[in-house]
Amino acid sequence: MSQPEVYNIAQTPITCHAFSADRREVALSLNSNEAQILSKQGHEWKVTETLAEHDKLITSIDWAPKSNRIVTASQDRNAYVWTQTPDAATGRMAWKPTLVLLRINRAATFVRWSPNEDKFAVASGARAIAVCSFDPESDWWVARQLKKPFRSTVLSVDWHPNNVLLAAGSADMKARVLSAYIKDVDSRPQPTVWGEKLPFNTICGEYTSASGGWVHGVAFSPSGDALAFASHDSTITVVYPGGPASVTIKSTTLPYVTLTWTAEDALVAAGHDCQPVLFQGHENGWRAVGSLDDTTAPKSSGGTRMGSGFGGSSVGRLNSAAFNTFRNADTRGQSSLGFGAAEGTGAGDTELLTVHQNTITSVRPYEGVPGHITKVSTSGVDGKLVIWNVSAADGLAGRLGGVHLR
Amino acid sequence: MEGAFRKIDIDVYDEDVLAEEELYQPNPRGPAEVLSETKQKATAVRSALAKGDVSGALGIVLQNPPYGPHVEEAKNTNMTTLVSILNSTKSSEIPNIVKSLTQDEQDTLMKCLYKGMAMPGWGDLSGSVLLGWHEKLTEVAGTGCIVRVMTDRRTV
């Protein structure tokens, strides 16, 4: 069984992360107005450059793999496109920013390059998405806004593989599919299951989970024929527009906030539950396969501890050390604060049984091709960056049955 | 005060403000229809309880619960019916009954439990009964079920 690669980047939350195409560098923001470029040296990530141009918190970063450009979005209502150019004085390669005119009056919340990397979409609190394309005549990025029909902050976006359709998750509890067709950039798109004629701002679909909740994360399947979204009611909904079917999986844990497809029939979701979970299914039904995280043992200290993993007897986060501490205090009048208690729960120990010790902010594909992703990366509020093997979920599902193969 | 501006109701200045009713799918049934249905369900529950079929009774009351505007009376009737079931169940039976519910029914039950906790002293409500059900339900349905109580605008 393969262990996840765990990197402790900082003691502060990592709000977002994006790897370079060769995976030797990563851009991330440590909950501040600066983005850092880290490169891998041995088993360590070292800061090689700091991108300081934003005035306020950076909310999202994306790194275009083919054209090697970084785009950052921030609460200061701006986005910058960063390109690597030789510095005039030293001749060394350095990242230089270009301001994008977003014309939004609220924070930018999320940004993603389109598959062809000739456009990017910036979601914002101004109930709009700015779709930006490069205008070579004026030599800057211009934005066209998708305004209707958002009723609240747009929290996430994802591009369809055809470079035209855009999925958006919003705080008005809906996930939508819209056209972001720009005449100067795009050729006429082929008809898709989402629609045939697709002028700019065509609304192809509006979806919601019955029990509501902000839509935190959206993602198209590798073919683009299905859409999955995670909302704050602890559900994942997969929409198949071909047959008017949508499948909702109700989770027993805290809500997921981010998700990515690993195959046409599988996706990984992560969020407030602190562990990435693999889901598998098709139009007729989806199920949780298992966690990519081995939650049967604490991560830092040795020894085993009470508590069962995903799919075990206990559900949700009710098996954390902190929970056990309070349960012992309640049911047995036993205070384990200050002294080691029974069951091996350490004194004042609040360590979770997961790798991430706090909410996972972002899960992204790391290795493989779309449709067959073998590794995913996550970043969390605990300052950790982790690379997971997707196949670990099957291995752990077997382990829970008592099989030990190492 | 420096922070006083934070208390200004900015929605007043917004012509495109998001209304409460737009946040959930409207109830396809009208208030009168909901009320008569709820009364029928109350009768069905009484006969099921007389036969000792607690999980059947619970299934009836948790199906299509009243929600939406102008259904206060139906909500109260439904809650009274539910409380009568909760009170008449032996605590040793609760785990199996909770397991036999569908996920939708579990979510609705959790909503009712929290509503009950929010109005102490109402009718025959007893805090210890509610907490007993809450504990067993959480063991089966997890924290996700509680989260859905908070997000779902279709309040019972």
Side-chain angles (χ1 to χ4, degrees):
Chain A
M1 201 194 75
S2 54
Q3 297 291 329
E5 294 172 45
V6 182
Y7 303 101
N8 288 301
I9 303 292
Q11 297 298 316
T12 47
I14 302 177
T15 33
C16 48
H17 77 280
F19 278 96
S20 65
D22 61 6
R23 303 296 187 244
R24 295 162 69 98
E25 288 181 294
V26 63
L28 45 83
S29 175
L30 299 174
N31 212 24
S32 74
N33 63 332
E34 291 178 345
Q36 257 124 31
I37 309 276
L38 285 72
S39 65
K40 198 172 182 185
Q41 289 161 14
H43 193 72
E44 301 254 314
W45 290 91
K46 290 264 161 54
V47 177
T48 50
E49 210 169 324
T50 300
L51 311 185
E53 197 69 30
H54 286 290
D55 297 330
K56 287 198 165 66
L57 191 87
I58 292 178
T59 49
S60 188
I61 302 177
D62 201 23
W63 197 322
K66 285 172 268 180
S67 52
N68 198 34
R69 286 181 298 206
I70 296 174
V71 60
T72 54
S74 155
Q75 290 179 354
D76 65 8
R77 298 171 284 131
N78 285 325
Y80 288 99
V81 174
W82 304 78
T83 42
Q84 229 174 359
T85 41
D87 192 272
T90 59
R92 280 186 57 220
M93 293 297 267
W95 290 96
K96 289 274 178 282
T98 317
L99 178 66
V100 185
L101 290 175
L102 292 180
R103 295 183 293 122
I104 51 175
N105 56 4
R106 297 282 190 281
T109 53
F110 203 86
V111 62
R112 283 292 177 268
W113 285 102
S114 73
N116 295 352
E117 302 176 9
D118 47 9
K119 295 190 288 190
F120 58 87
V122 183
S124 89
R127 304 173 176 179
I129 300 172
V131 180
C132 306
S133 60
F134 192 70
D135 176 5
E137 275 178 34
S138 339
D139 192 29
W140 64 21
W141 292 85
V142 289
R144 299 188 62 187
Q145 292 195 353
L146 290 167
K147 276 205 133 129
K148 283 197 165 130
F150 299 109
R151 305 302 312 274
S152 188
T153 300
V154 184
L155 296 167
S156 61
V157 293
D158 191 47
W159 286 94
H160 189 278
N162 75 357
N163 208 52
V164 169
L165 288 171
L166 193 65
S170 164
D172 59 10
M173 328 230 169
K174 288 198 171 69
R176 297 185 174 86
V177 174
L178 309 107
S179 166
Y181 174 77
I182 289 180
K183 207 170 63 192
D184 303 335
V185 178
D186 292 304
S187 52
R188 264 180 88 87
Q190 295 291 315
T192 68
V193 290
W194 303 97
E196 288 178 7
K197 283 198 153 165
L198 302 165
F200 190 74
N201 213 157
T202 308
I203 301 147
C204 303
E206 234 180 38
Y207 310 97
T208 182
S209 153
S211 40
W214 292 11
V215 178
H216 289 293
V218 285
F220 277 111
S221 72
S223 68
D225 291 348
L227 176 78
F229 62 91
S231 47
H232 201 78
D233 56 348
S234 285
T235 62
I236 305 275
T237 305
V238 186
V239 179
Y240 293 94
S246 74
V247 182
T248 298
I249 323 154
K250 289 190 173 187
S251 149
T252 57
T253 63
L254 293 180
Y256 302 109
V257 296
T258 171
L259 72 167
T260 186
W261 292 71
T262 54
E264 194 57 38
D265 61 350
L267 60 89
V268 171
H272 294 293
D273 191 38
C274 309
Q275 52 183 322
V277 177
L278 180 70
F279 291 88
Q280 246 168 12
H282 44 78
E283 280 170 62
N284 299 322
W286 277 74
R287 68 188 176 95
V289 176
S291 172
L292 306 189
D293 200 339
D294 178 4
T295 53
T296 50
K299 292 303 184 291
S300 58
S301 50
T304 49
R305 182 186 289 180
M306 283 259 301
S308 55
F310 189 91
S313 61
S314 141
V315 288
R317 289 253 307 274
L318 298 182
N319 55 346
S320 75
F323 179 83
N324 286 335
T325 304
F326 284 107
R327 191 181 55 192
N328 289 343
D330 176 40
T331 59
R332 299 176 205 171
Q334 191 178 60
S335 168
S336 58
L337 299 171
F339 297 99
E343 295 178 18
T345 36
D349 197 346
T350 53
E351 193 194 351
L352 300 179
L353 301 173
T354 49
V355 169
H356 276 292
Q357 293 296 303
N358 208 328
T359 298
I360 294 172
T361 52
S362 170
V363 57
R364 311 197 67 173
Y366 180 79
E367 199 176 283
V369 290
H372 187 70
I373 301 294
T374 51
K375 285 183 177 178
V376 294
S377 60
T378 57
S379 58
V381 175
D382 56 353
K384 284 194 171 89
L385 181 70
V386 184
I387 295 157
W388 307 86
N389 222 317
V390 175
S391 59
D394 297 324
L396 285 170
R399 265 174 61 103
L400 291 171
V403 187
H404 285 259
L405 290 172
R406 278 204 195 211
Chain B
M1 278 292 286
E2 203 169 292
F5 70 94
R6 294 191 186 278
K7 302 227 166 124
I8 299 171
D9 181 9
I10 54 166
D11 284 345
V12 176
Y13 305 100
D14 192 346
E15 64 239 25
D16 188 32
V17 67
L18 188 59
E20 173 75 24
E21 297 80 49
E22 295 174 69
L23 293 174
Y24 57 86
Q25 307 204 311
N27 196 336
R29 300 162 297 162
E33 204 181 329
V34 170
L35 184 61
S36 71
E37 196 186 291
T38 312
K39 284 183 174 154
Q40 281 169 21
K41 279 201 279 184
T43 320
V45 164
R46 266 196 293 279
S47 66
L49 279 183
K51 281 182 261 168
D53 181 11
V54 179
S55 59
L58 204 53
I60 296 169
V61 78
L62 295 177
Q63 282 282 323
N64 293 324
Y67 72 91
H70 317 302
V71 290
E72 287 313 312
E73 196 185 340
K75 284 183 178 181
N76 282 335
T77 312
N78 213 45
M79 194 68 191
T80 315
T81 315
L82 181 79
V83 169
S84 70
I85 302 173
L86 298 185
N87 286 341
S88 61
T89 311
K90 286 200 208 79
S91 60
S92 57
E93 290 173 3
I94 296 177
N96 284 330
I97 293 172
V98 166
K99 267 180 219 152
S100 71
L101 297 175
T102 65
Q103 278 197 313
D104 285 337
E105 289 167 353
Q106 287 173 346
D107 289 356
T108 309
L109 178 58
M110 191 62 99
K111 282 188 209 169
C112 296
L113 294 179
Y114 274 100
K115 186 186 184 185
M117 289 186 218
M119 33 189 209
W122 185 84
D124 301 330
L125 269 179
S126 135
S128 65
V129 169
L130 290 178
L131 286 171
W133 278 87
H134 182 269
E135 182 192 357
K136 299 299 177 219
L137 183 54
T138 311
E139 276 171 19
V140 173
T143 43
C145 186
I146 301 174
V147 170
R148 282 187 281 278
V149 173
M150 294 192 274
T151 58
D152 201 337
R153 304 296 179 112
R154 298 170 302 171
T155 51
V156 292

